[in-house]
Amino acid sequence: MMSATIADIRVYKEGGNMQPMTHPFTLPVVGRDTSHVLASGKGKVRVFMFGSISNPPARAQLPLWEKLREKYDTAQVDLFVVYGRELHPGDKKQFSTFPAPTTVEEKTAYAKELAALTTLPVLLDGMDDAVFTAYGRVPNGAYVIDADGRLVFRETWADSQKVEQVIDTLLAWYAADRPPIAATQ
């Protein structure tokens, strides 16, 4: 049963506009003098979503993802946000003060405002949106990479409950001393 569940998780939920694989990256952590290297987390389940200051769905997920971060041992699970592209730059009264950034300094300032709303690490994608593009250009996409470095789950709209189910299943799989999940590609 566990094996079938793991196989089901490996089916990518939504979004066909990306190569369904882990795309490595190194991004600066907003407000810190460090960078986050995705590949350095091998042995951990890595979970991230894209967000921006003008992205209401991502902002709504932040407190829910913070609860997930509190639930899991950071030695086993790494949760973070990648600050990607503005979803509604300059749109509506709510985001009129956030036009599309034209410089790294503007994008960094926006990312700092988002980081102030959460305890999750916020990583800053470049002005070229390279990581955002590699992962399918989904403004509120969520991604789970297993402890072996494979992308095992993605969804177009980050949903903390679905992400939690995936993490719990993967951790149970590893706790049961099951072998690594066989690649299906």
Side-chain angles (χ1 to χ4, degrees):
M1 173 109 170
M2 180 72 76
S3 182
T5 302
I6 293 291
D8 285 346
I9 286 173
R10 298 216 60 219
V11 175
Y12 303 107
K13 182 179 178 297
E14 298 173 359
N17 56 345
M18 69 168 276
Q19 281 293 119
M21 57 184 270
T22 302
H23 301 273
F25 58 77
T26 300
L27 295 174
V29 180
V30 175
R32 300 182 193 162
D33 289 330
T34 61
S35 291
H36 185 91
V37 180
L38 184 65
S40 69
K42 206 156 190 183
K44 288 183 178 185
V45 175
R46 284 143 296 160
V47 184
F48 64 95
M49 74 170 159
F50 284 95
S52 69
I53 197 69
S54 66
N55 184 330
R59 289 171 60 154
Q61 284 292 310
L62 292 175
L64 303 172
W65 280 53
E66 287 174 350
K67 288 180 182 175
L68 289 179
R69 190 164 186 235
E70 292 169 6
K71 175 181 176 178
Y72 298 111
D73 179 355
T74 57
Q76 292 183 305
V77 180
D78 189 16
L79 284 111
F80 54 93
V81 177
V82 175
Y83 197 91
R85 189 174 195 90
E86 293 302 322
L87 183 59
H88 298 286
D91 194 18
K92 305 176 186 176
K93 288 181 182 181
Q94 186 177 6
F95 305 116
S96 62
T97 59
F98 299 103
T102 58
T103 66
V104 172
E105 292 77 19
E106 285 178 332
K107 189 169 185 176
T108 301
Y110 292 179
K112 284 181 179 178
E113 288 199 42
L114 183 73
L117 300 176
T118 185
T119 59
L120 295 165
V122 176
L123 315 183
L124 182 62
D125 197 2
M127 290 301 291
D128 62 357
D129 295 321
V131 174
F132 180 68
T133 299
Y135 280 92
R137 301 183 64 81
V138 182
N140 186 226
Y143 304 83
V144 178
I145 297 169
D146 71 10
D148 300 310
R150 289 183 300 256
L151 177 67
V152 295
F153 181 79
R154 75 173 189 238
E155 62 181 338
T156 303
W157 295 100
D159 179 332
S160 64
Q161 291 178 337
K162 290 178 188 174
V163 166
E164 183 176 20
Q165 289 175 322
V166 172
I167 295 169
D168 288 346
T169 302
L170 285 171
L171 293 178
W173 174 259
Y174 291 118
D177 291 326
R178 300 297 174 130
I181 304 164
T184 59
Q185 297 178 1

